[in-house]
Amino acid sequence: MPPSLTTLTDEALLALDALTGRAANLVHPSIRLGVTGLSRAGKTVFISSLVHNLLNGGRLPLFEAGRSGRVSKIRLEPQPDDAVPRFQYEDHIRALVADRLWPDSTRAISQLRITLDYESASGWGRLFSPGKLSIDIVDYPGEWLLDLPLLAQDFRTFSENTVTLAASGIRAELARDWLALSGTVDPGAAASEATARALAESFTAYLKACKSDERSLSTLPPGRFLMPGDLEGSPALTFAPLPNLSKESPAKGSLQAMMERRYEAYKTHVVRPFFREHFARLDRQIVLIDALQAINRGAEAVHDLERALGDVLECFRSGTNSFLSSFVTRRIDRIVIAATKADHLHHESHARLEAVTRRLVERAIERIGMSGAGIEVMALASVRATREATVKHNGEDLPVIVGVPMAGERINGETFDGETKTAIFPGDLPENPDSLFEALESHSEGDPPLLNFVRFRPPHIEETAGGLKLSVPHIRLDRALQYLIGDRLA
């Protein structure tokens, strides 16, 4: 954790929180699990499916405590933080199961507590363990996580980094209007609210264009510009980076002085409270990424995802929590980086998707000089929306996936109605991730996509004879669960 991201006040408050939390854990053991994702990776779906499978006896063979029968009871309980909105699990699972609709994406922070009663695997553990563990699931937008590096940057550094990135590659076209407008502004001129608002609106339009499905870029701070909530129109969100800033301190009353003041207000009133009150209190973390969407959008989207992963990992307070150190600090000792939507590929390509994701993470770790210990990489599908089949094509067996594409989805000139089941050959990922990166670099806009993807509707969930819904199908949700909390149930 770069020390410049925290102040002495931050560290003192975090130490007090760690001490309080450790004392509470002695009475009621709990673990805070952070769930975030980058650009439509499926955070809400992951949490809903995870909780539904735990509550309804879903197939979780790799979750050892459940498989061995050591978990006797699982239930939802009131969350410990009354000031944080509750994750509306019931509404989200109803949308998935009853309406076969994907729930709305995460727009703000929320929390849910699920408690497991269990029996320790060892006789010594059964003698001393209370046999109860609460998992406090903290759901927050990935855009908020990507804001944390701003704590270590002043306005000049933020402006230089943002303008340089905006002028590169496909971003240059998306940022053309904002960069042109910025170029007409004199930072030393008198502050103008109309100018500040025009710059902020143009800059926000650039960020939205980067996030669109057509581009699927990931590095998009400041995150609240894309989801302002009740801060919309406030001075803390009415600023923008400025090009060609002098190294001298800005004159009082100048446009640059106004922008610097508002940038610092954004850090003080938006970023730092999130860091101190939520992010720094996490014990475990899963980061969901849509690697397939990035691959489909080309080399720049993949490189941008890699850059975002580096920024994400650099912010984590990672490390081992010993018995004594846990009284004065909290560190994230296990992190999962999960490529979602594995059900959009035939199972033969799942290991290849995982290898691509591991390549992205390893390069990010190398860039920031962080040890890979405590980081697990996997490919999963929180909800399996397809099944696999084989069709004959030109006399050969072709592995396909079968599902109901969302209404309006298109592939090879065909538009789907949201009701018809369709078999699709998505293509194959290469065995060697380097081959994929080389293919992406040589791939030009306008060339056929390397892979064929459409969004599928959630699957139809059968009912039992008693009218009860069966658990939501998934791919490797149990593997993620075991890595994130399995050791706490030993």
Side-chain angles (χ1 to χ4, degrees):
M1 182 73 180
S4 53
L5 263 65
T6 61
T7 64
L8 291 176
T9 301
D10 290 333
E11 292 298 340
L13 291 172
L14 294 175
L16 178 61
D17 178 75
L19 180 61
T20 304
R22 181 62 179 173
N25 254 320
L26 296 176
V27 178
H28 188 157
S30 65
I31 186 170
R32 291 177 68 87
L33 170 62
V35 180
T36 195
L38 303 178
S39 189
R40 300 179 182 85
K43 301 177 294 296
T44 303
V45 175
F46 172 84
I47 297 172
S48 300
S49 179
L50 179 68
V51 173
H52 189 264
N53 274 281
L54 284 171
L55 292 175
N56 293 277
R59 293 186 66 255
L60 301 168
L62 295 183
F63 180 46
E64 190 278 330
R67 184 190 70 241
S68 62
R70 294 192 293 107
V71 177
S72 58
K73 185 178 181 181
I74 304 176
R75 61 197 178 278
L76 293 177
E77 288 191 329
Q79 64 194 65
D81 300 319
D82 292 334
V84 179
R86 182 180 183 273
F87 180 87
Q88 297 301 330
Y89 159 74
E90 296 82 2
D91 295 343
H92 298 318
I93 203 66
R94 187 181 304 114
L96 277 169
V97 174
D99 303 328
R100 295 183 64 196
L101 296 174
W102 299 112
D104 293 335
S105 59
T106 300
R107 305 293 297 176
I109 197 163
S110 63
Q111 189 181 82
L112 188 71
R113 167 169 281 196
I114 185 168
T115 298
L116 290 74
D117 292 340
Y118 70 99
E119 183 180 72
S120 176
S122 68
W124 185 260
R126 286 193 293 271
L127 182 63
F128 289 98
S129 172
K132 181 167 71 172
L133 177 68
S134 291
I135 307 166
D136 294 320
I137 301 173
V138 181
D139 174 33
Y140 63 94
E143 288 83 357
W144 294 16
L145 179 59
L146 289 170
D147 271 356
L148 294 183
L150 300 182
L151 294 175
Q153 300 175 20
D154 60 16
F155 180 71
R156 182 176 288 103
T157 303
F158 163 67
S159 293
E160 290 174 353
N161 292 344
T162 306
V163 170
T164 299
L165 182 61
S168 64
I170 60 174
R171 286 179 180 257
E173 176 188 348
L174 305 177
R176 183 178 58 235
D177 292 344
W178 165 59
L179 290 176
L181 179 61
S182 298
T184 66
V185 171
D186 178 9
S192 163
E193 187 63 39
T195 301
R197 187 168 63 250
L199 286 169
E201 290 173 353
S202 183
F203 178 60
T204 301
Y206 152 66
L207 293 178
K208 289 180 178 179
C210 289
K211 189 181 179 181
S212 68
D213 284 343
E214 291 75 19
R215 295 304 180 185
S216 299
L217 300 176
S218 303
T219 308
L220 303 170
R224 294 295 181 94
F225 279 53
L226 295 170
M227 45 183 64
D230 56 4
L231 292 173
E232 187 167 11
S234 68
L237 263 63
T238 312
F239 69 90
L242 295 175
N244 306 318
L245 295 178
S246 69
K247 298 186 182 301
E248 305 297 327
S249 297
K252 185 177 181 180
S254 66
L255 179 65
Q256 180 178 344
M258 171 196 276
M259 293 297 197
E260 284 193 4
R261 185 175 66 253
R262 293 181 174 185
Y263 171 74
E264 292 300 328
Y266 182 82
K267 290 162 56 178
T268 299
H269 300 294
V270 177
V271 184
R272 195 170 297 282
F274 164 68
F275 166 75
R276 190 168 56 215
E277 297 168 14
H278 303 291
F279 182 75
R281 299 173 60 201
L282 299 175
D283 301 303
R284 305 281 166 89
Q285 174 71 54
I286 181 167
V287 179
L288 306 172
I289 64 172
D290 190 351
L292 294 179
Q293 178 80 339
I295 292 170
N296 231 26
R297 293 297 176 259
E300 287 205 42
V302 171
H303 291 319
D304 204 66
L305 175 59
E306 183 179 354
R307 181 189 302 111
L309 284 172
D311 293 343
V312 164
L313 293 174
E314 192 170 13
C315 292
F316 285 129
R317 298 170 64 89
S318 58
T320 302
N321 287 307
S322 67
F323 178 79
L324 292 178
S325 67
S326 64
F327 281 95
V328 294
T329 187
R330 300 179 80 149
R331 296 196 175 277
I332 297 175
D333 54 5
R334 293 198 177 191
I335 300 170
V336 170
I337 307 292
T340 59
K341 304 177 184 177
D343 59 326
H344 287 41
L345 292 171
H346 194 270
H347 75 271
E348 294 175 353
S349 285
H350 289 182
R352 300 175 184 182
L353 175 59
E354 190 170 298
V356 170
T357 306
R358 185 174 292 108
R359 160 78 179 270
L360 289 171
V361 174
E362 287 174 348
R363 289 175 59 163
I365 290 173
E366 181 180 354
R367 177 172 73 84
I368 63 177
M370 174 183 174
S371 170
I375 298 179
E376 180 79 356
V377 177
M378 63 184 68
L380 58 78
S382 305
V383 174
R384 182 168 191 164
T386 67
R387 62 177 178 84
E388 295 183 354
T390 303
V391 298
K392 287 287 187 182
H393 181 71
N394 295 331
E396 296 184 2
D397 290 336
L398 191 67
V400 297
I401 55 174
V402 180
V404 179
M406 300 280 289
E409 288 292 293
R410 295 174 57 86
I411 191 170
N412 295 330
E414 181 180 359
T415 302
F416 299 101
D417 60 9
E419 300 293 337
T420 305
K421 189 174 293 187
T422 306
I424 294 175
F425 174 63
D428 293 318
L429 289 172
E431 291 187 18
N432 185 349
D434 292 335
S435 301
L436 174 65
F437 283 84
E438 292 170 1
L440 287 170
E441 293 295 345
S442 61
H443 192 265
S444 301
E445 191 167 355
D447 291 345
L450 297 178
L451 300 170
N452 294 314
F453 296 126
V454 296
R455 295 178 299 170
F456 291 92
R457 289 187 65 187
H460 175 70
I461 307 296
E462 299 290 342
E463 295 187 359
T464 65
L468 299 176
K469 293 286 185 181
L470 298 178
S471 58
V472 175
H474 63 86
I475 298 175
R476 298 184 192 90
L477 199 63
D478 50 340
R479 178 180 161 191
L481 183 64
Q482 175 64 23
Y483 182 78
L484 289 167
I485 69 166
D487 63 313
R488 295 293 296 271
L489 299 170

